[in-house]
Amino acid sequence: MHAASLVDSSWHSSELLELLDVELSAPVIHYLVEYISDIVDDALDRSSVVPSHRPPSYISDFFVFAAKVLYRAETTLSTLLVALAYLDRVSDVVCVASEEWALERLFLGAVICASKYANDSSLRNVHWAMCTQGLFGTRDIGLMEGEFLKVLRWRLGISEADVMAHRERIMAVVGHGAVKTGLTAGNLNTPPGLASRPQHRHRHTCSVSSIDSTSSS
């Protein structure tokens, strides 16, 4: 059985198996970071929220946060692929009331839901809070998880097509020579060069679903 799907590996296409061989590396996380940034930017436009002045380190700071959380949580690439599939499902409908912590909250909502769905044994919310090093508390984590599930409409099932939707772009950003280069403590603070952002599919009118963006106290 394949560790990621728990079915015989022969049931999967060679392209999927090649994708699952990719390690969760800095380029892959940067791909996720830019994808989430695009979704939040579009959500802010739909919500008529004027973005505040963003420092030059806007994306790189979020990369460092995301990389450290994923490293501490020992997140696998298969979990990240499920998170990307969930982000695809909410990208047209998610709205944000405030830009503050919007990137971090959407990231945590997607990854936590993906981790709990894809793994028999997953971190509890108190442990996810610890992975943020105090930026968010356990109550914050629970609120983010619940709000993301609401926007997702509890559509948690994953197909091979869902996972393969990002294959070509992920393989492009890692390159064949980087397939086995995983995330380490030494590269958590070093975002790779900016990659071309993925093009979202056509967006239709959004619902009134929202992601709470209140910062942790």
Side-chain angles (χ1 to χ4, degrees):
M1 294 192 301
H2 195 283
S5 64
L6 300 184
V7 300
D8 194 293
S9 296
S10 63
W11 290 16
H12 298 307
S13 66
S14 59
E15 290 81 8
L16 177 62
L17 294 176
E18 181 185 25
L19 175 61
L20 292 174
D21 269 344
V22 174
E23 295 288 348
L24 184 53
S25 59
V28 176
I29 296 173
H30 199 270
Y31 173 84
L32 173 68
V33 161
E34 290 202 317
Y35 197 65
I36 291 174
S37 178
D38 282 345
I39 293 174
V40 168
D41 285 347
D42 287 349
L44 288 170
D45 289 341
R46 290 195 298 265
S47 304
S48 298
V49 176
V50 179
S52 61
H53 177 68
R54 294 173 174 175
S57 60
Y58 176 71
I59 294 296
S60 60
D61 288 347
F62 176 44
F63 168 87
V64 172
F65 169 81
K68 288 184 176 180
V69 169
L70 294 172
Y71 178 75
R72 296 186 190 110
E74 299 182 354
T75 308
T76 62
L77 180 81
S78 57
T79 295
L80 187 140
L81 291 171
V82 174
L84 281 168
Y86 290 167
L87 288 166
D88 285 341
R89 292 176 191 177
V90 306
S91 63
D92 288 341
V93 297
V94 65
C95 298
V96 294
S98 169
E99 186 182 14
E100 186 177 24
W101 304 119
L103 295 174
E104 290 83 359
R105 287 180 173 272
L106 185 58
F107 160 75
L108 287 169
V111 171
I112 291 170
C113 290
S115 179
K116 290 185 177 182
Y117 180 78
N119 301 286
D120 290 333
S121 179
S122 180
L123 297 180
R124 297 173 59 188
N125 287 356
V126 63
H127 301 127
W128 282 107
M130 292 171 63
C131 288
T132 72
Q133 287 193 311
L135 183 61
F136 297 103
T138 304
R139 181 176 178 275
D140 297 307
I141 296 295
L143 289 172
M144 283 183 272
E145 178 187 7
E147 191 64 28
F148 190 86
L149 286 169
K150 178 182 176 181
V151 178
L152 190 61
R153 298 181 181 177
W154 292 85
R155 294 174 296 156
L156 295 168
I158 292 294
S159 69
E160 185 168 314
D162 294 328
V163 174
M164 291 291 285
H166 291 264
R167 178 188 177 276
E168 289 186 9
R169 287 170 289 190
I170 289 177
M171 297 306 293
V173 299
V174 299
H176 293 291
V179 168
K180 290 297 183 180
T181 303
L183 187 69
T184 67
N187 60 21
L188 291 177
N189 297 301
T190 309
L194 293 177
S196 298
R197 291 190 175 185
Q199 296 297 315
H200 290 155
R201 61 184 183 278
H202 177 70
R203 300 187 180 283
H204 50 262
T205 304
C206 69
S207 74
V208 296
S209 300
S210 64
I211 288 289
D212 177 18
S213 296
T214 305
S215 61
S216 173
S217 58

